[in-house]
Amino acid sequence: MATPAVMLQGTGSNVGKSLIVAGLCRLFARRGLTVRPFKAQNMSNNAAAVAGGEIGRAQALQARAARAEPTVHMNPVLLKPESDRGAQLIVQGRRHGHLDARDFTGRRKALMPFVLGSFAKVCEGADLVIVEGAGSPAEINLRAGDIANMGFATEAGVPVVLVGDIDRGGVIASLVGTHAVLDEADRAMVRGFLVNKFRGDPALFAAGMTAIAERTGWQPLGLLPWLPEASRLPAEDALDLTGTGRKPGDTFIVAAPVLPRIANFDDLDPLRLEEGVSLVLVPPGRPIPSDADLIVLPGSKATIADLAHLRDEGWDIDILAHVRRGRPVVGLCGGYQMLGRTIADPEGIEGAAGIVPGLGLLDIDTILTGDKAVQPVEAVHAGTGYAVTAYEIHLGRSEGPDCVRAPFRVAGEREGAMSPDGLVMGTYLHGMFAADDFRRAFLAQASGGTFRASLAYERSIEEALDRLAAHVGRHMDVDALLAIAKERGGGQARDL
């Protein structure tokens, strides 16, 4: 008997599929179902380290919402962009080299067995699997060999619900238009539709919901209002980050330059959400604020190229001036590598083989190698003894005299580096600011003892997921959605 499953596809990217899936996972988990998330193919530099490798951060959040242990099978194909035309290919958690955009169309067919195999693993022992598509099935030029949307849905026999975003306008055209361009077989996979991110009186769009249903024959499953609290959850795309910038009354300013290949930017979320902290994401063309209390250099999927961009923007001058004023800088992963004396790429992993000078703020040298470290870690902050649950996802190793003052210990070994005056710190540990005790101690030290952090970060994520589940439950016909999912299970699923 097939496991009941339903797939949420979108009329485009960023329509809110990831958070709706997370909300549904938490809702059904609270009803006592064993629910699992799945996304065949994701494209994101925001990844999570799980047992056996890495997956998209959104799928890790969805697993958390489902109260399930995240696995590499929940996102078997992950594309991590390294340039406008190429990406690192991750298959079932492990790096499978570089992939040019032009080559991917031809290679997708070979990835389908991995996708279907992982889906079968996710289905084992589950009462319900909620699948997220990628992009839009309306991109019919990409239909041949598709593994992310209708290609997967038809192969796995998973019925589809289409999600439209009314906030960007044209939602009737996008839903009805998708119906128009799909071929008959793909169109038959769609059972219903949702309209997301509505603002105002829902009664004003009742006729719109009817118009979509009449023109498509699809069942309307809900009109979901805009949920401001969703911004408290980790974003999948750096462009999705909200709540950044100066806020009136804030007393501590954190600045982070937005690099072209910024990665694992959810490292910044605990700072963004901390009461009294303003997180300023510095876009190209703007200087790093001279009054920033702390500069954080985030992770990067293309360290050498992003370092060149940083210099082109003049941010290196801003960072050096910041340190001369006696203010701290933290580098995370790729940002850590940039802080050193040199970055060597002898194998040409990021482009042409060679060596480039770093910012020279840490006495370390980095060598990029093909071996990729991907692992959850338990660390201890050397200065306070506080425990930090974190993870590593990086290529290369960094060594030098400043590693003697490593800020962390992992399994008794030094991790990271610190300058002699303590102003500049670098680490490969992602997620360290999520540890409340460490973050409070760090911000107190960085502010000279004037700032007192109060956020309970992990609790705030759980509360946000609960609110998201309640929101979805109020505004969506979840019983109708479950009935659609049961179609794949032959009408059989554990009663709610």
Side-chain angles (χ1 to χ4, degrees):
M1 186 70 66
T3 300
V6 63
M7 184 175 195
L8 271 63
Q9 297 183 17
T11 56
S13 297
N14 204 30
V15 301
K17 301 185 301 295
S18 296
L19 287 182
I20 294 175
V21 170
L24 288 168
C25 283
R26 176 54 59 93
L27 183 149
F28 285 119
R30 292 177 69 177
R31 291 189 179 187
L33 290 179
T34 300
V35 58
R36 300 287 183 265
F38 181 80
K39 183 164 185 170
Q41 173 195 315
N42 201 348
M43 178 177 284
S44 176
N45 276 332
N46 218 23
V50 301
E54 59 184 304
I55 60 174
R57 170 58 58 182
Q59 282 61 65
L61 178 68
Q62 291 162 358
R64 177 174 182 164
R67 299 191 173 116
E69 190 70 26
T71 75
V72 296
H73 296 294
M74 292 175 178
N75 176 208
V77 178
L78 175 61
L79 302 174
K80 305 184 76 173
E82 296 175 319
S83 68
D84 291 340
R85 296 189 177 184
Q88 186 181 106
L89 173 63
I90 308 295
V91 179
Q92 290 180 339
R94 295 301 183 188
R95 179 173 175 261
H96 278 235
H98 178 84
L99 190 66
D100 289 331
R102 185 174 297 179
D103 297 336
F104 183 57
T105 301
R107 290 184 60 180
R108 287 184 301 176
K109 186 176 181 181
L111 294 172
M112 183 62 88
F114 294 97
V115 168
L116 295 176
S118 285
F119 181 64
K121 287 283 189 183
V122 171
C123 286
E124 291 177 2
D127 297 317
L128 174 66
V129 176
I130 304 178
V131 183
E132 180 187 347
S136 170
E139 296 164 344
I140 54 176
N141 57 307
L142 301 177
R143 177 61 178 88
D146 171 60
I147 64 173
N149 291 305
M150 287 302 179
F152 168 79
T154 55
E155 284 283 340
V158 178
V160 173
V161 171
L162 196 63
V163 181
D165 176 4
I166 197 171
D167 188 58
R168 64 178 62 185
V171 71
I172 295 176
S174 64
L175 286 162
V176 175
T178 300
H179 178 275
V181 300
L182 292 178
D183 66 28
E184 186 175 347
D186 287 351
R187 193 183 301 139
M189 297 299 298
V190 184
R191 303 292 195 273
F193 70 92
L194 293 167
V195 174
N196 194 26
K197 303 182 186 179
F198 183 79
R199 302 175 193 255
D201 183 354
L204 297 177
F205 195 66
M209 297 291 284
T210 300
I212 296 167
E214 289 176 345
R215 285 164 173 78
T216 63
W218 297 336
Q219 180 181 2
L221 295 175
L223 177 64
L224 276 66
W226 184 275
L227 181 64
E229 292 88 343
S231 66
R232 300 188 67 83
L233 294 169
E236 187 170 38
D237 192 312
L239 298 177
D240 296 338
L241 288 176
T242 58
T244 55
R246 294 178 185 267
K247 295 174 288 185
D250 284 349
T251 59
F252 194 85
I253 309 300
V254 179
V258 180
L259 305 168
R261 298 299 167 197
I262 187 173
N264 294 86
F265 48 82
D266 58 316
D267 282 333
L268 303 172
D269 278 355
L271 300 175
R272 174 174 64 92
L273 298 175
E274 186 72 67
E275 191 72 27
V277 172
S278 283
L279 173 63
V280 179
L281 294 180
V282 184
R286 299 281 183 87
I288 296 175
S290 60
D291 62 345
D293 298 289
L294 168 68
I295 293 177
V296 178
L297 289 185
S300 168
K301 195 66 200 68
T303 302
I304 292 175
D306 275 356
L307 177 57
H309 177 85
L310 183 149
R311 286 193 164 103
D312 289 343
E313 292 292 334
W315 290 334
D316 56 334
I317 299 171
D318 296 338
I319 294 168
L320 294 173
H322 177 88
V323 174
R324 285 197 301 271
R325 286 191 287 268
R327 296 174 184 169
V329 174
V330 173
L332 304 174
C333 201
Y336 169 33
Q337 295 173 341
M338 294 179 194
L339 291 173
R341 292 182 308 229
T342 62
I343 304 172
D345 187 5
E347 301 174 29
I349 293 171
E350 291 195 358
I355 185 168
V356 300
L359 297 177
L361 291 173
L362 285 176
D363 194 0
I364 61 166
D365 296 286
T366 295
I367 300 178
L368 301 181
T369 61
D371 296 331
K372 188 172 188 179
V374 181
Q375 59 185 352
V377 299
E378 296 296 328
V380 175
H381 181 231
T384 62
Y386 289 135
V388 173
T389 297
Y391 62 97
E392 295 182 36
I393 301 180
H394 66 90
L395 293 170
R397 63 181 185 274
S398 301
E399 298 174 346
D402 280 352
C403 292
V404 173
R405 288 174 294 278
F408 296 100
R409 297 288 188 273
V410 176
E413 299 293 325
R414 296 187 183 98
E415 199 293 318
M418 185 176 292
S419 61
D421 59 9
L423 287 177
V424 182
M425 182 182 93
T427 178
Y428 281 117
L429 299 186
H430 291 290
M432 65 178 188
F433 287 124
D436 292 337
D437 288 338
F438 164 73
R439 187 182 63 259
R440 289 165 186 160
F442 177 85
L443 291 176
Q445 182 179 13
S447 66
T450 63
F451 184 83
R452 295 178 62 85
S454 59
L455 174 69
Y457 178 70
E458 297 296 344
R459 186 176 69 193
S460 76
I461 296 299
E462 287 298 307
E463 291 172 349
L465 286 171
D466 286 340
R467 287 193 293 269
L468 178 61
H471 179 77
V472 169
R474 278 194 303 270
H475 300 287
M476 185 175 165
D477 190 342
V478 293
D479 291 328
L481 183 84
L482 187 62
I484 291 171
K486 287 180 181 180
E487 292 179 21
R488 183 177 186 272
Q492 301 296 314
R494 186 155 66 85
D495 291 336
L496 292 177

